[in-house]
Amino acid sequence: METELKPIEWKNHKLVLLDQTRLPNEMVYEEFETAESIWDAIKVMKVRGAPAIGVTAAYGLYLGIRDATENSFEDFWKELKKVSDFLASSRPTAVNLFWALERMEKTAIANNHLDVSELKNVLLKEAIKIHKEDEITNRKIGENALTLLHDGIGILTHCNAGALATTKYGTATAPMYLAKEKGWNFKVYADETRPRLQGSALTALELQLAGIDVTIITDNMAATVMSQRKVNAVIVGADRIAANGDVANKIGTLGLSILANYYNIPFYVAAPTSTIDMKTKTGKDIPIEERDPEEVINRFGQYTALKNSKVYNPAFDVTPHENVTAIITEKGIIREPYEKNLKDLFEESKIG
Ligand SMILES: CSC[C@H]1O[C@H](OP(=O)(O)O)[C@H](O)[C@@H]1O
């Protein structure tokens, strides 16, 4: 019997998150009612993945102003902006965090004629809308991605751009769920993805629970499985795509893109348009989060290196657009020249 994991749920006026730091061994759901606890959940990665972070932040902003006592819009706005800026400080790279907070702020401004109690309800409805839209968006990404894939394919993916990184389906995994629905016969190779192991702990978990054939490989095995012709396509997610098509994603993605190009294997990035940041010109302008060195040398409470060893632990890297075969979005498949085609996409769809 297949099991679907629900990473985010708005229930009984609280935000319920599946604590992803406890997976795959424990399925623990935690209730959140404050912006502070949600900031911490994003920071320590109880919830992670660009789209999931955005949805969570939207609810976090609502929860942070739900009990505000300000009566005038001017005073209420100051409180809202304070909470929004606080949540924006949780993690720097995934643009969906800022996209969701900005959308909530714009909703407040667009409804500044309402009295504050009504405005609070409008903000909750917007957070729920962002949540519901994500599921629809991801299914569309999956449908578009399927046009590039075929029955019998071998797919390699990195980190977790799965259902656990979104509200359902994932982005890179969306075509996998839809291919399963179609009865396709295909194999997935999941990089374990050091240091946080989102691939082995999360991607392998969710795909196994969905009855999908997934094999965990260590991060240094990608070249081997490619050389053995086991991989026909690489599909990864993204945390931020710059206006020229450069892609920030989990550390290790850049190396995969180089290997894929060496072996003439298509390298696809699956992401919603909310992950494309037209205000960020190139990958050089994307802030890359550096995380605690302990994640690398003390992942499971046992040091695998001398304590206080010098460690460099960027959580993401940037893949140059030249290495990207196509960017698969809910609005279509984008190819080079990315700068022009992304600009056209945003103008035609009147996004942003
Ligand atoms: C569709 S999820 C995008 C992205 O987020 C993950 O990073 P993290 O687990 O640190 O939040 C990973 O880079 C995924 O590809």
Side-chain angles (χ1 to χ4, degrees), residues 127-189:
I128 293 169
K129 206 170 151 214
I130 291 170
H131 187 168
K132 290 189 185 313
E133 283 173 4
D134 183 64
E135 180 177 328
I136 296 162
T137 293
N138 298 335
R139 188 167 180 96
K140 284 181 183 167
I141 289 171
E143 287 162 358
N144 289 334
L146 276 187
T147 65
L148 300 170
L149 309 174
H150 55 80
D151 195 353
I153 195 169
I155 302 171
L156 188 146
T157 193
H158 190 68
C159 194
N160 175 255
L164 286 166
T166 66
T167 59
K168 186 169 183 177
Y169 297 118
T171 60
T173 58
M176 300 171 194
Y177 289 111
L178 299 192
K180 171 81 175 153
E181 283 178 15
K182 287 176 173 294
W184 283 16
N185 173 29
F186 64 100
K187 288 181 181 300
V188 178
Y189 295 90

Side-chain angles (χ1 to χ4, degrees), residues 45 48-51 53 91 158-162 165-166 170-172 198 236-239 249-251 270 272 289 315-316:
M45 297 171 66
R48 30 63 52 199
I53 290 170
R91 293 185 76 189
H158 190 68
C159 194
N160 175 255
T166 66
T171 60
Q198 290 96 321
V236 298
D239 290 86
N249 197 52
K250 184 53 52 193
I251 188 77
E289 176 185 21
F316 304 99

Side-chain angles (χ1 to χ4, degrees), residues 26 86 105 108 201 246 267 271:
E26 297 170 283
F86 167 68
E105 290 178 9
D246 290 346
F267 182 85

